[in-house]
Amino acid sequence: MGSLGDHAGGTGAGGGSVGGGGSGRGNTRVIAGRYRLEERLARGGMGVVWRATDHLLGRQVAVKELALDETLSESEAAQQRELTLREARAVAQLRHPHIIVVHDVVVQDEHPYVVMELIEGGSLAGRIARSGPLDAHAVARIGIDLLGALRTAHASGILHRDLKPANVLLETATDRVVLTDFGIAQVTGATTLTEVGSFVGSPEYTAPERMAGERTGPESDLWSLGALLVTALAGESPFRRDSIGGVLHAVIYEELRPPPAAAPLLPVVLGLLDRDPERRLDAAEAERLLRAYVETGRMPVVTRERPGRGGRAGLSGLPGLSGLPGLHGRPGRGGHTPTRHHPSTGPRTPAGGHPHIEPAGHPHAKPGGQGRAVLIAAALVAAVTGAGVSAVLLLARGGDGGGTPGTPGTSASVPPPSPSPTVSVTTKTPGPSTPEAPRGYRIAKDPEGFALAVPEGFRRRTDGPRVSYVSPGGTYRIGIKKSAPEPGGPLAAQRRAAAEGPRDNPGYRDGRVSETTRNGRPAALREFTWNGFDDAEGARRTVDLCWEEGGRMYSVWVSAPVAYAAQARRYFDAAVDTFVRR
């Protein structure tokens, strides 16, 4: 869900920045009689961000223009506009050096525009994508700045609810850290979009209690900060998995095993990532520990017990890294780690059956047990991943020896905005000649003899033997290639392609090839990052699955800027899941 921060900064490598330095197309429009839109800095899910001049005050600003989606109903369009306006109202209340400044909100021709300060620099996500993890001292300073921003927001009754590296800006000239994208912020007393059926947030950075649909508070933002700190230290979210189902399982069930890079800030990381919000490290204590580290190079020894449910050990239990408490004070459930494999190989729902999610590592969960089960994924998976399916994840919270993880046979149906079948979300499998388009997609019956689901609005292009379906503006590209089988099969073909990667893709890096299957057939998955088409857009991430079928070799890939890799992966999953020969 886009808002102030779902666009790239000046470097173009990461999302979440109201940043200058792009080289987008010029514009001559003037809105509200004073803001001249001059240069497109970036585009995102909800609009375009422009560098603009405020002629009244003679200063440079950033202006976000909300995109109109002609597929939305009148009520849905109004809801989308309200999201942006609410974001602006929430942020405009705040005054803090590490919170983005909103100057103005204007509506012209039913288009809302948000006028913000212009930050010359990219996002933390972009910095990590370009240069890799940051050192612990730099991460600690970022953490201190963000804690200050959050404490100010929380004191005003405002929750951010989408704290992640893409929404943290780094000003080039001053190294100032700026928190942006309050587009899903919840102002105390205001109706939230979750109350009308939409989940908002980024699953890898979403606290367990928010996933459980429970009332959330400042503690949920602090969980997100803990995940962000690990990402900055290690270069990857601690909850990143190959599917949304895997992410949900990791956040809610799996033991937290911090990477070695997190060791310098370990007490803060583990304290913020306590699954029990009542025991979670608070902002003041986290800031105290981080300041001590910045000043001395050492993290203070944490010896005190923190009160919690059931008499659990608090931060004094830090050496036991494999025993992070489970949700609501229950121990982690057996420490299962799900098998990671390509989404297209996931189990399928029998014809006519309802799709469901079961926690990985619990394939034989039995019904029953005491306590109530929390229904999560019906709204969560549908809204976040856009799965055009019903989905259920039951988290049992029974008494001693009571609840067990969710069981099949229960389902809830929530109409989602966009699809993403994954390994943990079983989807209805249409017949080979009649794939079904998830909501927001259409079935492209290609002249080359195949069909697959592509998002509405994507247009077909050809480049020799390759067929592409490209989003407006070229942000996302879904590619398909049909060719003769190659010696050694898909795995050998992908390894050869990886070896030639630097020649075919400038700046080729972070490449990996893994063996997998698709519908029982041998397949190979290749992933890599490269410099992209231009400096304004920045680095792109490509995911490519190759397999043999019907005497031919097929390759399906999706490419997008690094900042939009998560959405691109959802498009990829949908394309692979629905692909059929015709």
Side-chain angles (χ1 to χ4, degrees), residues 1-2 45-46 69 71-72 76 79-80 197-201 203 244 377-391 414-422 425 427 436-442 453-458 476 478 564 566-575 578:
M1 180 171 294
M46 283 183 65
D69 186 344
T71 66
L72 296 179
E76 290 171 332
Q79 184 184 65
Q80 187 185 59
S198 298
F199 177 86
V200 286
I244 189 63
L380 176 61
V381 175
V384 176
T385 72
V389 298
S390 305
V414 176
S418 61
S420 176
T422 68
V425 180
T427 59
E436 294 183 359
R439 184 179 178 185
Y441 286 53
R442 64 182 178 88
V454 300
E456 294 284 358
F458 280 42
Y476 301 100
I478 301 173
Y564 307 125
Q567 179 61 54
R569 187 60 182 251
R570 292 190 275 273
Y571 290 155
F572 174 75
D573 290 344
T578 58

Side-chain angles (χ1 to χ4, degrees), residues 63-104:
V63 175
K64 178 156 189 178
E65 174 185 5
L66 180 66
L68 286 180
D69 186 344
E70 297 180 356
T71 66
L72 296 179
S73 67
E74 185 176 342
S75 62
E76 290 171 332
Q79 184 184 65
Q80 187 185 59
R81 287 194 297 271
E82 175 59 25
L83 175 63
T84 296
L85 296 176
R86 185 186 66 186
E87 170 186 24
R89 288 194 294 267
V91 182
Q93 297 177 37
L94 305 176
R95 291 292 182 270
H96 191 276
H98 299 296
I99 295 178
I100 194 77
V101 175
V102 172
H103 298 308
D104 198 2

Side-chain angles (χ1 to χ4, degrees), residues 223-249:
W223 167 282
S224 302
L225 177 61
L228 179 147
L229 294 178
V230 176
T231 301
L233 289 164
E236 184 176 73
S237 162
F239 305 109
R240 177 162 296 178
R241 299 295 185 270
D242 289 339
S243 70
I244 189 63
V247 172
L248 296 178
H249 184 272

